[in-house]
Amino acid sequence: METLHMNKGEGETSYSKNCIVQRQIISFGERVIEEAVAECLVKSEAEESMGIADLGCSSGPNTLTVIWRIINAVCRSCEGMGVAVPELRVWLNDLPCNDFNGVLMLVPEFYRRLGKEKGIGPEGCFVSAVAGSFYGRLFPTNTLHLVHASSSLHWLSQVPLGLKASGINLNKGKIYISKTSPDCVAKAYLSQFQKDFFLFLRSRAEEVVPAGRMVLSFMGRTSPAAAAEVGSHQWELLAHALTSMAFDGLVEEERIDSFNAPYYAPCGEEVRHVIEEEGSFIVNHLEAFEIGWDGGSQDDNNAFGKHDYDNNNPQHLIMSRGQLVSNTIRAVVESMLESHFGAQIMDELFRRYAQLVDHYFSTTVAKHINLVISLTRK
């Protein structure tokens, strides 16, 4: 999906200023990363050189925060083992439309801090960017020891096929799986997820060394029902906002009927089934955890290049929780919505969405489910 990229720059609706939920998700997965790194160093023959890839790296402060934490874990494990830190080959991957310029501008300061705090000089760590879809090969054979992907694999490679019949849109008035969607809609989404995730695993199986590790985290659900409220309701409210605009003559109903988000939040059983079917990896750990739609109130003082989008930010304090959530969602999906509906409706759409989220918060504790999976290459 080349039209999908996080909002660039440093503005109030940029991803850089609205990535607190993703940052919290990274924090929740830190323990799993540390365990994977320790096992990887022992079993995957990474004594001299270690290949690390972050897939779907995006841009903004979270990108190098992930790498910093992985390197932290490498340094601690090597110290505990009494061995030198291996040469680190770090690849940052996302689609070509990602703001790689913004990411790479942070690298010199990252190197400086790495030398000062970790004693790793310019010949000890090499950071590169790789543009392309992770639903296919990206790296040479047997070059990766650790693969990380956070908040990216819930995005599909394309809108599922089978959402039209005889030219008629089957998911009318909705933009994702809903309780009122025909059964064929959920089946089409599941089928696309299975194809994409299988291809992801098969591609990584060629690139990851034997006993290498992958740590993946992405949006999911605990219910077997694809239309479960936890996992789909953020899209339901966005559809409501669009429908209200159609009622006021601001959006054509046909435009809503013809839009379906290239997104799927699987349950753990669906994920495990594809892993077992593909057959190249062993599941070490599969866990589901809850996170608030607004990311909660925890601060993250370890973030590299951290922005002040937190409780110390005056703008954060004067916004309603609905507006905070609206900005977070807008930073992620605006490029995709804009390409379909036009830029002229974005401000009004997310103003209405914020109001709907505020109302939802008044009656519900709104949470996402995130899945964290740790895998070993056979």
Side-chain angles (χ1 to χ4, degrees):
M1 294 298 296
E2 294 298 324
T3 58
L4 175 63
H5 61 79
M6 308 301 105
N7 279 357
K8 301 175 182 180
E10 298 288 332
E12 288 306 316
T13 61
S14 67
Y15 182 74
S16 182
K17 291 285 182 70
N18 296 282
C19 56
I20 191 170
V21 172
Q22 292 83 354
R23 187 189 309 154
Q24 295 287 42
I25 288 169
I26 292 168
S27 295
F28 276 115
E30 189 166 8
R31 173 181 55 82
V32 181
I33 290 174
E34 290 177 351
E35 293 172 355
V37 166
E39 287 286 315
C40 179
L41 286 167
V42 171
K43 298 180 180 179
S44 69
E45 300 182 356
E47 297 92 347
E48 295 184 2
S49 184
M50 184 177 187
I52 300 166
D54 184 30
L55 307 183
C57 67
S58 189
S59 58
N62 289 345
T63 301
L64 291 178
T65 295
V66 170
I67 300 305
W68 184 262
R69 290 179 175 180
I70 291 172
I71 293 176
N72 256 340
V74 171
C75 291
R76 282 196 296 269
S77 293
C78 288
E79 183 179 3
M81 296 164 60
V83 299
V85 174
E87 171 190 85
L88 302 172
R89 294 171 282 113
V90 178
W91 286 291
L92 305 174
N93 157 259
D94 213 314
L95 294 173
C97 51
N98 184 54
D99 185 12
F100 283 111
N101 285 339
V103 172
L104 294 176
M105 286 177 66
L106 295 172
V107 170
E109 172 61 18
F110 179 81
Y111 282 151
R112 186 199 65 78
R113 183 180 170 191
L114 201 59
K116 180 180 179 181
E117 298 187 21
K118 303 298 177 185
I120 298 175
E123 296 182 356
C125 181
F126 302 88
V127 178
S128 305
V130 177
S133 170
F134 49 54
Y135 294 123
R137 288 291 300 275
L138 290 165
F139 308 101
T141 302
N142 288 342
T143 53
L144 300 179
H145 297 82
L146 180 71
V147 172
H148 174 268
S150 180
S151 298
S152 53
L153 279 162
H154 45 246
W155 294 110
L156 303 173
S157 66
Q158 63 178 46
V159 174
L161 302 176
L163 298 181
K164 271 190 175 185
S166 302
I168 299 173
N169 296 301
L170 301 177
N171 203 26
K172 294 189 66 173
K174 305 297 179 183
I175 61 176
Y176 182 60
I177 305 165
S178 169
K179 292 177 181 178
T180 60
S181 299
D183 290 343
C184 62
V185 171
K187 290 178 180 177
Y189 269 95
L190 174 58
S191 177
Q192 187 64 50
F193 169 76
Q194 290 171 330
K195 291 175 184 176
D196 285 346
F197 193 45
F198 185 96
L199 183 55
F200 173 88
L201 294 171
R202 182 56 53 89
S203 300
R204 304 293 81 76
E206 296 294 323
E207 299 162 353
V208 176
V209 301
R213 300 292 292 263
M214 293 205 298
V215 177
L216 316 174
S217 62
F218 46 91
M219 292 297 180
R221 63 183 199 275
T222 53
S223 169
E229 185 167 331
V230 178
S232 66
H233 202 66
Q234 67 272 29
W235 295 104
E236 188 79 3
L237 293 182
L238 196 54
H240 288 335
L242 285 164
T243 301
S244 73
M245 293 180 71
F247 182 80
D248 291 338
L250 301 175
V251 178
E252 295 178 5
E253 285 188 22
E254 190 279 332
R255 300 299 292 170
I256 302 172
D257 295 342
S258 62
F259 180 84
N260 291 283
Y263 170 97
Y264 187 71
C267 65
E269 291 76 12
E270 291 168 347
V271 172
R272 190 180 292 273
H273 174 76
V274 179
I275 295 169
E276 292 174 352
E277 181 186 18
E278 194 281 326
S280 299
F281 293 89
I282 299 168
V283 179
N284 305 303
H285 180 90
L286 198 162
E287 176 185 1
F289 66 86
E290 295 181 341
I291 184 168
W293 279 17
D294 58 357
S297 60
Q298 300 177 49
D299 198 1
D300 179 4
N301 294 318
N302 296 317
F304 182 85
K306 175 180 175 292
H307 288 258
D308 59 347
Y309 190 77
D310 55 34
N311 291 333
N312 297 316
N313 186 340
Q315 187 67 21
H316 189 149
L317 293 173
I318 63 174
M319 285 184 183
S320 69
R321 293 175 69 201
Q323 185 61 57
L324 291 172
V325 172
S326 181
N327 280 1
T328 299
I329 297 297
R330 181 173 184 172
V332 174
V333 305
E334 182 170 18
S335 63
M336 179 176 60
L337 293 173
E338 186 176 294
S339 70
H340 187 84
F341 294 102
Q344 70 279 2
I345 74 160
M346 291 298 110
D347 287 345
E348 178 63 16
L349 171 61
F350 285 100
R351 184 190 69 80
R352 295 187 185 211
Y353 184 62
Q355 291 178 338
L356 290 168
V357 174
D358 271 326
H359 177 72
Y360 187 61
F361 273 135
S362 71
T363 60
T364 309
V365 178
K367 293 186 179 294
H368 298 296
I369 295 293
N370 202 260
L371 303 179
V372 179
I373 305 105
S374 176
L375 304 172
T376 297
R377 176 72 170 94
K378 292 180 179 178

